[in-house]
Structures are given as structure tokens and as C-alpha cells.
Amino acid sequence: MQKTDLPDRKRIDATDLRRTIDPSNFDFETTADIEPLEGTIGQERALEAIDMGLEMDSCGFNIYASGPVGTGRNSTARALANRKAGEMPTPNDWCFVHNFKKPDRPVALELPAGMGRELADDMDDLIEDCRTEIPRAFEREEYEKHKSEMMQNVQNKRNQLLRELREEARELDHDIQVRPTGVVAVPLVDGEPATGDDFEELDEETKKDLEEKGEKVRELIAQKLSRFRQAQKEDKEKLEDLDRKVALYAVGHVVDDLEEKYSDLDEVVQYLDQVKEDIVDNIDLFKNPDEHTQNPLGMQIPVEQLYTKYRVNVVVDNSDAEGAPVVEERHAAHHNLFGQIEYKPQMGGATTDFTMIKGGSVLDANGGFLILQVVDVLRNPFAWDALKRALRTREVRIENIWHKYHPTPSATLRPEPIPVELTVILVGSPMLYHLLYMLDEDFRRLFKIKADFDVEMDFTEKHLQRYASFIRAQCTEDDAPPFDREGAARLVEYGMRMADHQERLSTQFLYVSDLIAESAQQAIRDGADRVSARHVEAAVTGRRRRSRMIQDKMQRFIEEGTLLIDTTGEVPGQVNGLSVYDLGDYRFGAPTRITCVTSVGSAGVVNVERESKMSGSIHDKGVLVITGYLSQQFGQDKPLSLSARLCFEQTYKGVEGDSASCAELCSLLSSLADIPLRQDVAITGSVNQRGQVQPVGGINEKVEGFFEVCEQDGLTGEQGVVMPSRNLQNLMLDRRVVDAVEEGKFHIYAVDTVQEAVELMTGMPAGERQDDGTFPEDTVYGRADQRLREMADVMREYGKGAEGDNGEDEG
């Protein structure tokens, strides 16, 4: 049998299996000698997008920071927003005050930064002044004297009225008596009151005369009392006017001073005028507060509650702010974002007032930037719709969103809306961005800036040095020992392994920072004052050990023979494919036996996983591509009369991806040609209909997974992996694999076509199509082509026989 020299030509040198970083690339002794990183590495596109969004003032140019976890979405957005906010003016304060005309609709007041708290303090001082000065003013001798004179004047008028009324009544033979029920007329007979039996004994003419005179007297009484009441009302108004003047004298100058202080704020001045008017109209609250501390049910009310309507509720206080605010809300519930109206129990119910209105993060960020996690917003009821409404209308209405759903709703408030101007930065995954963009029209109008965060960046000298600066910053933040050159170089190699590329570095710094912390802990355990390469290696090893329980169990099943994997020998139609298992926090590779059984028939290539509903759409596509390749190679001069069943043995869950299509095609060709495939070599790669081997994902995990299986059985020096040559740049293999390849104990081959893979797996030439359309006999494709011709002949003879049988039956 002719052998091929392809293995020697396709074998990858150990130096190409992993890119190593020369520690001499760093010009420091330890990372403590360099400046810590400022800013973000390798996200220039995202930085440009965020900068543009922060600069835009037009409506709708809010930002969606899109990218996987760990790429610095939050820290970058926060840093850029803080930098921009420092250049912006400090926004105004916002307060709620009592609406004296419509108490259920509190008034929103806007004041310059810091003056909201000043106004609240000034109003508190005003209340204290009123409680002190008003009672004191009414206790002064001048007031008591003036009040006594007015009261005496009222009494004198009353007495004078009674005298005049009595004189006029006597002229009509009546007297006047003042009783608890009022002023009454009493008839007189011979100067003596005639009532009861005395009046009845009078003759009819006298009685009639007295009754007529009594009616006139009663009319006089009504006229006099009406005049008296009018005079009494006027005197009361004079007394009230006196009280108003005294109250204004006591505290009017304080209110006037406040109006002067806030003279540039028309709405505040208008509010202070209303306060002054209300205080004067309710002087008794300050003169005799104890008389007002009993509610209708006899329960005691705190004195302080009497003066609540004069207080100021500051919902946005920027007194300590410098520049615009940057607010990061991690609990995006509706009440945290937009505020709420709180209640307090009272007499078995619930009451509220404007002082119990609480602001939210949107108001806190007004005039600046609000950073939200899109998942948190979408998970909280009503939050997403309310956020869009606030951005559309540019105002916030504070309300209890659940109030309408309460079984026994209580009275509530309707505060004035507060206008808002802010930029919202949503942080989330690319998938959520696309879903919102497709399903929510408002999202497209409101979030016009997309900042894409990548998981990798180009390997450049600049990025290499900034990686070291990131290590320094992280060590400083964690108060950890610095890294030496070797340790920093090893960490950069870990960044390349995360990126699965020799020319890329990972930008998922969340995981890089975790490794920095774990490596530093290894150094602390050793009592070292710096982190070296061995500490980084120990941290990587420890991390893998903590996460590889499932992988170890699969290795044990293979060793025990529960999972059937051969690492020696040759078998027709059987090959070791390579799969990657992703557990979220850990990925690992493992071999999977792939078999193919061929026979005469018309079913074509049958995907057993698809028939058993265990195959994903991409895997189904890969099998269909195999059918296309067979048709292109062998179906030009004959019908493909075969039934081939491809199966992933011992798989009990779904199969997805097309990275095993090269292995499946090799097993199919091996079965057709009846040529054994090497079991000591595993294969991975995707193929297209032209037979080109395409790159796959997880190449490092796949190679390492098969290496570990071979290692536990004992390396023979012949074992290895066939992989796409287009994956060479993705190789960042574990040092154990690299060392084994360097020692000749393990081999890795790179192929470009299916023919090369077939030759490596069989040791025979694949065969090139000749001018007559056939393949050389002593080749894999020649044998497969011959077998397909035989199958076609069998099917042709079978078809003829079936037709003859039908003819006999008919005859």
C-alpha cells in the first residue's frame, strides 16, 4: 500500500503552538516602578461612541453600552461620565412646598444649587420665630390695653343699645329683658310686668293694644340687634385687623427679609407672599397651639404637625455637588428611579402630605448622567415604560404607581411635574440591544448611540505596556504585592489565551483582575514580596482544579471504559472527534467517538442525531454540506446509491456545531473505502462543499482535552490532533502540551483540505481526480469511488428485478 509523507510536512513545530512574551519587553523591575493605568485599554470604538453621546444635547441621543460582562462597560461609562460632568455646571435644586390654593397639588420650586437647603432652613427658622414672637407680641401691655379698650367699646355699645331699646319700649308699655335665649319684650300694666295669668285677666281691648305694641317693640328689637351685630362684626374685624397688624409687626420683617434674599426668584417670592398671608390668617395656630392639637376623635396631634404646611421638602439637593451629577442606580425599581409618595398610619388609615414626597435617581441625575443596567430596568415592573416616558416628555411625575392597584386606595397627592434634562447610559448585552431595537420603537428613538465593547484588542507594544499598567493599578487597589517582569509576561500570555489568538489580547479585565488577585495571594502564601511567573501558574492551575470536576469525571469514565475512546490502533469508519463543553465559568475539550455505517440504499447521508431530535441546526447543516461534497466528488458520473448513518456515540444530550464535519466526512470515506482510521489521532475542523477545512472555536481546549486522555493512557509518541491550518493563530496551548510536542511525544497537524485530513488519518494518499473522471485505484478516494459504483450497479440491478417481478405479476 502506498504511504504518504504528508505527516512530516503538516506537523506543527512546538514553537508555533504558543506565543510567549519575553520579559525583557518590560523595562521595569516590578510593576511598582510604573504608573498605574488611567482610562480603558483597547476600546477606542466604544470610547468614541460614549464621548459623542455625552457631548450631544439633542433629545434621543442616550447611550447603550453593549458588550459582554467583564469588558469594562460600567467602569468606562462611569469614568467618562465623571470626566464630562466635571466640566459641566452644577444643576439647580428642586423643592416641594404646600399649595395653599390646592393642597393636593404640591408646588415644585427650582432654586440655584445649595439654595434649596437654605430655603428649607429659612422656613424652619421662620416657624420658630412665629412660634416665639407672635405669642410674645400678643402678651405686650400695649396690645392688651388696646384690646381691652376695643372690648370695652363693644360692651358700651351693647349697654347703650339696651338703654335706648328699653326707653323706646316703655313708651309702648313694654319692658326689655335679656335672657339666655335672647332679648325679649315684656308688656307692662301700670308699670308692672304682665305675664302669664295676669295678662290673661286683662280685657280684650287692652290685650289687643298690648299685642300690637309688642309687635312694634319686637321690630325695634330686631332693628337694634341687627345694628348691634353689624357694629359687633365691625369691631371684630377691627380686632382681627389689630391681631394681623401685631402678627405682621412681630414676623413681617422676617418674611420681608426672605423676600429680599430670594428676590431674583419670582416663584419663591410668590410662595413667601402666600406663606405670610396664611400665617396672618391662622394666627391662632401660634397664639394658642394647644387648642389645635386635638383632632375630632380626641386624639393628640403633635404640635410640630400644625406647622408642616410651612416647611420645605428638598427632593434634589446639590449643595455639596461640584459639576453635574453622575448617578449609578443598581436597584432600578420604579420608586428608586422616579421617587414615591410615602404614607404614615393615622386613626386606622394612612395619610400623607407634601413633606413625604421622595425623589429618585432620575431627579438626582437631572442635569447630568444616569447609569443603569438594562436587565435591572426590564425586570422591574413599570420601570422601563416610565423611563421612556420621562425621556420623551422631559419631565418626571412623582407618583405611587401601585396606588391604583391597591384594594382600598387612600387619598393621595399629585405633585407638579419636574422638568429633566439628562443623558441615560444603559449597560447591557448585545442580545438585549438587538431585541429592544427590533421590538421597541421607542428604544430606537431614545437610544441612538451604541457603544460596542469588544472582548479583544490587537497585540501591540502600546497595549502590552498598558497591560502592565493595569496590573499595577489592580495591585494598588487590592494592596497586593507587585508583579515582576516574568509574572507580568505570564499574565499577558493568559490574556492571549482568553482571546484565543496569538495576535490578540483579551479585554475582559474582570477575569484578568481575578487572576491578578489570585496570583498575588499565591505570592503572599509563599512569603514573597513580588508576584512571579510560578505564582501566576499556580493561580491558573488552582482555578482549573476548582472548576474541572466534570472534566475529571469524564476522564475517569474514559479510563474505566465507560466512555469508549481508543487512543491506539486503527478502525474503519470510526474516528475521534473533539467537542468543547462550556460550563459558564470553565470550558474544556473531550474526545467523542464518531462512527459511520454505509450500505446500499437511497437514504443518502443520515444524521442519527437529527433523526433522534438531538441535533442542532448548525450540526444538521454540517451533515448536509457533507452530502454536497460527496455529490461534487463522486456523483458526476453515477447516482449516489448509498445509505450512510453518521452517529456521535454515547451522547445523551444535544449536539450542535459543525466543527466535527471533517471528522464525520473522514469516517464516511473510511467506511466506503473500507480503510481504517487512526484512533491515536483525533480530528477537528469544519468543511465546506469544496472540501476546504475551515477554522473552529475552542481549538485550545480540544487539543488539550485529547492530550489529557492520551496522557492518562500513556503517551506513545504517535498520538496527536489534526486541526485546521487556519486555526494556527488561535493556538495558545498549555505548556505541558507544548513540552510533549517538543519532546516528540505528541503531534499536532494542520490541514487545509479534506484530502490532507484523510491522508493523515489513513496513511494513504487521498487521490486526485484523473482526466477520465476516475481516481487512482490504490487511494482512499479511488476505493470509495469504486464502492459507490458497485452500490449504483446493485441498485440498478435491483431496480430491474423489481420491474421484472411486476411484469410477471401483471402477466
Side-chain angles (χ1 to χ4, degrees), residues 561-810:
T562 303
L563 287 178
L564 302 179
I565 298 293
D566 293 334
T567 57
T568 58
E570 296 179 340
V571 180
Q574 177 177 299
V575 68
N576 288 325
L578 295 172
S579 301
V580 172
Y581 296 85
D582 194 338
L583 305 180
D585 64 327
Y586 182 67
R587 289 197 314 172
F588 68 92
T592 300
R593 175 174 288 181
I594 299 173
T595 60
C596 181
V597 176
T598 56
S599 64
V600 177
S602 58
V605 180
V606 178
N607 178 4
V608 173
E609 277 69 37
R610 179 183 180 184
E611 297 302 314
S612 59
K613 295 182 174 54
M614 294 175 61
S615 176
S617 57
I618 299 177
H619 181 246
D620 292 340
K621 176 187 175 183
V623 175
L624 293 174
V625 167
I626 291 174
T627 303
Y629 178 77
L630 290 178
S631 299
Q632 187 263 340
Q633 286 290 337
F634 305 108
Q636 303 302 314
D637 54 0
K638 58 187 172 299
L640 295 182
S641 304
L642 85 157
S643 291
R645 284 170 170 77
L646 288 168
C647 179
F648 277 66
E649 304 290 354
Q650 291 185 288
T651 56
Y652 307 103
K653 62 174 185 177
V655 176
E656 181 60 301
D658 64 350
S659 64
S661 58
C662 187
E664 291 173 310
L665 183 52
C666 287
S667 66
L668 193 156
L669 292 171
S670 169
S671 178
L672 278 175
D674 194 24
I675 298 175
L677 296 173
R678 296 176 60 178
Q679 302 301 297
D680 56 357
V681 176
I683 182 171
T684 182
S686 165
V687 296
N688 60 27
Q689 295 189 120
R690 297 292 184 182
Q692 295 173 312
V693 179
Q694 302 167 147
V696 294
I699 189 65
N700 292 294
E701 289 81 2
K702 291 176 178 179
V703 173
E704 291 166 358
F706 189 68
F707 171 80
E708 291 193 18
V709 172
C710 295
E711 188 179 42
Q712 74 179 3
D713 290 341
L715 295 174
T716 65
E718 299 296 329
Q719 295 148 330
V721 171
V722 174
M723 56 166 278
S725 61
R726 293 171 178 82
N727 274 125
L728 282 174
Q729 60 189 358
N730 304 113
L731 290 178
M732 282 297 297
L733 292 172
D734 187 85
R735 291 182 181 274
R736 291 187 304 118
V737 181
V738 177
D739 292 341
V741 171
E742 190 172 13
E743 295 169 5
K745 297 179 180 180
F746 196 75
H747 308 281
I748 300 176
Y749 307 96
V751 297
D752 293 300
T753 64
V754 173
Q755 289 91 332
E756 292 176 348
V758 168
E759 291 185 13
L760 282 168
M761 295 302 296
T762 63
M764 290 180 60
E768 294 290 337
R769 187 186 300 277
Q770 302 176 114
D771 294 338
D772 61 357
T774 63
F775 296 90
E777 293 184 2
D778 198 18
T779 63
V780 177
Y781 279 35
R783 293 191 181 186
D785 186 60
Q786 182 60 35
R787 177 59 179 152
L788 287 169
R789 291 181 185 278
E790 294 171 358
M791 289 180 174
D793 291 340
V794 170
M795 284 295 292
R796 191 178 299 112
E797 293 299 323
Y798 176 78
K800 290 180 179 180
E803 290 177 4
D805 290 342
N806 290 338
E808 288 182 358
D809 290 342
E810 291 174 358

Side-chain angles (χ1 to χ4, degrees), residues 126 129-130 133-134 140 245-261 276:
L126 175 63
D129 289 342
C130 290
E133 296 300 327
I134 290 178
R140 289 176 181 159
K245 290 179 180 179
V246 172
L248 285 175
Y249 176 79
V251 297
H253 64 283
V254 179
V255 179
D256 292 341
D257 290 343
L258 291 180
E259 290 183 347
E260 178 65 25
K261 178 178 179 180
K276 180 167 63 175

Side-chain angles (χ1 to χ4, degrees), residues 310-323:
Y310 303 120
R311 300 195 183 279
V312 174
N313 178 15
V314 183
V315 292
V316 178
D317 183 7
N318 289 312
S319 56
D320 298 327
E322 295 182 3

Side-chain angles (χ1 to χ4, degrees), residues 191-209:
E192 295 297 328
T195 59
D197 294 339
D198 295 337
F199 184 80
E200 294 297 330
E201 291 177 356
L202 297 174
D203 58 80
E204 291 297 326
E205 183 178 352
T206 303
K207 288 167 61 177
K208 182 178 180 181
D209 181 57

Side-chain angles (χ1 to χ4, degrees), residues 332-456:
H334 185 277
H335 61 274
N336 284 342
L337 287 174
F338 302 99
Q340 63 179 334
I341 303 171
E342 296 181 344
Y343 289 82
K344 59 184 176 182
Q346 185 173 355
M347 295 183 293
T351 62
T352 188
D353 57 62
F354 74 95
T355 63
M356 302 178 75
I357 300 173
K358 306 299 178 184
S361 300
V362 175
L363 288 181
D364 291 338
N366 194 8
F369 308 101
L370 176 63
I371 303 174
L372 299 171
Q373 304 299 310
V374 65
V375 172
D376 294 339
V377 179
L378 295 176
R379 282 177 176 169
N380 283 281
F382 310 111
W384 177 242
D385 287 337
L387 178 63
K388 293 188 296 180
R389 184 165 53 250
L391 294 176
R392 281 197 314 267
T393 62
R394 297 191 178 189
E395 67 178 23
V396 167
R397 293 181 179 271
I398 300 178
E399 59 181 339
N400 284 351
I401 199 69
W402 293 102
H403 179 79
K404 63 183 74 173
Y405 301 103
H406 199 277
T408 55
S410 54
T412 189
L413 303 175
R414 295 180 60 191
E416 280 187 353
I418 296 179
V420 291
E421 289 287 344
L422 78 163
T423 298
V424 175
I425 304 175
L426 283 182
V427 180
S429 66
M431 180 186 70
L432 283 178
Y433 175 85
H434 292 297
L435 286 175
L436 289 171
Y437 191 88
M438 295 300 295
L439 301 176
D440 193 331
E441 294 181 359
D442 291 332
F443 178 78
R444 306 177 201 174
R445 291 194 291 265
L446 297 174
F447 290 88
K448 298 179 180 179
I449 301 294
K450 179 186 178 184
D452 261 327
F453 283 78
D454 201 354
V455 295
E456 62 184 23

